[in-house]
Amino acid sequence: MTPPLLQRAALWRAASLGLWALVMLVSSVDGRLDLLLRAVFHPLVALAGLLLLLVALLQLRLAFGPGRQERGDRRQARTLLLTAAIALLVLLLPPAPSFADLAGQRPRDETAESELSFVLPPAQRSLTDWVRLLRSQPDPKLFAGDPVRISGFVLPMEGEPPQLARLLVRCCLADASPVGLPVHWPAGQAPFPADQWLAIDGVMGLKPAPGGGERLEVVPSRIRPIPRPARPLEP
């Protein structure tokens, strides 16, 4: 029979690995990964969870398999217990990142599109579509008066009114970068709090730019608070 101390160590390893496998598998189906990672990478998380589950089962086999030399110690047991506790906390406390705080700590996305292969009609453009289009066609007068229907979160700007913003990710929140559009907020209206998600209908209007010339801003005709979308990150 397996010595008791080695058996307990193998059981703790199996429990810790099994819990982390459960974290990955549950996260793959309950929507929390949409707050952290692009959808294209979700299957990799599920695959990693299945592999961890397999390793956990192998540890169970070790615990109840043929005897071998006892090598466990209390320090290893405490480490495994802490790992299992962290996995339980991750399961019980789903992520709730503050996109506004994260965006304030990251450089703005300055990826310019020299050419756009396809341009959607104005009312069908997302906030990100508008940002990319305005970078590819820098003359703001081309789009003055175009209808706008966009959504995003309120992003405070230092020395300027808040913008409506989105986070672009290539992989996950670790490489996220914000993009935003200036908004002409209605006078006398209480400001919306940072991180509040809004849907805005309106038009593109011209306003003087700080360095001279003109720039576009969204002039709302309707502003609606909305829940955070299921998939708030954009590629």
Side-chain angles (χ1 to χ4, degrees):
M1 294 294 293
T2 304
L5 189 56
L6 182 59
Q7 186 180 59
R8 288 197 297 271
L11 285 173
W12 276 116
R13 282 194 294 271
S16 298
L17 292 171
L19 282 171
W20 280 110
L22 186 61
V23 168
M24 292 183 173
L25 293 173
V26 169
S27 298
S28 299
V29 298
D30 72 352
R32 73 179 67 190
L33 282 185
D34 291 318
L35 301 177
L36 305 171
L37 188 68
R38 279 184 60 187
V40 69
F41 297 106
H42 292 188
L44 295 178
V45 177
L47 178 60
L50 291 173
L51 292 176
L52 275 182
L53 186 60
L54 177 61
V55 175
L57 293 175
L58 292 175
Q59 287 297 315
L60 281 177
R61 181 180 178 185
L62 174 64
F64 298 102
R68 53 186 296 182
Q69 184 179 0
E70 188 172 347
R71 293 183 289 111
D73 58 36
R74 293 184 178 180
R75 178 177 299 177
Q76 184 184 44
R78 287 195 297 267
T79 301
L80 292 172
L81 180 61
L82 178 61
T83 300
I86 293 173
L88 278 174
L89 286 175
V90 173
L91 276 174
L92 296 175
L93 302 174
S98 168
F99 288 172
D101 287 347
L102 181 64
Q105 300 168 14
R106 299 294 174 85
R108 306 281 286 188
D109 182 273
E110 299 297 341
T111 305
E113 301 284 345
S114 56
E115 291 186 12
L116 294 178
S117 57
F118 180 74
V119 178
L120 291 169
Q124 297 180 25
R125 295 170 195 159
S126 68
L127 186 150
T128 306
D129 293 331
W130 272 108
V131 170
R132 289 172 173 160
L133 179 61
L134 295 180
R135 288 176 182 165
S136 67
Q137 300 287 343
D139 184 358
K141 295 180 180 178
L142 294 175
F143 308 104
D146 279 1
V148 177
R149 298 183 66 184
I150 56 175
S151 63
F153 62 91
V154 177
L155 175 61
M157 303 293 294
E158 186 175 355
E160 296 182 26
Q163 291 189 357
L164 199 68
R166 286 275 191 165
L167 281 179
L168 301 185
V169 298
R170 292 172 177 82
C171 174
C172 60
L173 279 186
D175 63 27
S177 54
V179 294
L181 288 174
V183 177
H184 183 80
W185 303 103
Q189 178 177 300
F192 290 100
D195 265 334
Q196 171 67 60
W197 282 80
L198 302 173
I200 294 181
D201 298 342
V203 296
M204 280 294 184
L206 290 172
K207 68 170 292 186
E214 294 177 311
R215 70 173 185 179
L216 288 168
E217 67 176 2
V218 179
V219 181
S221 58
R222 185 186 183 196
I223 301 177
R224 292 180 292 116
I226 58 173
R228 183 180 59 201
R231 292 189 174 181
L233 304 178
E234 295 197 348

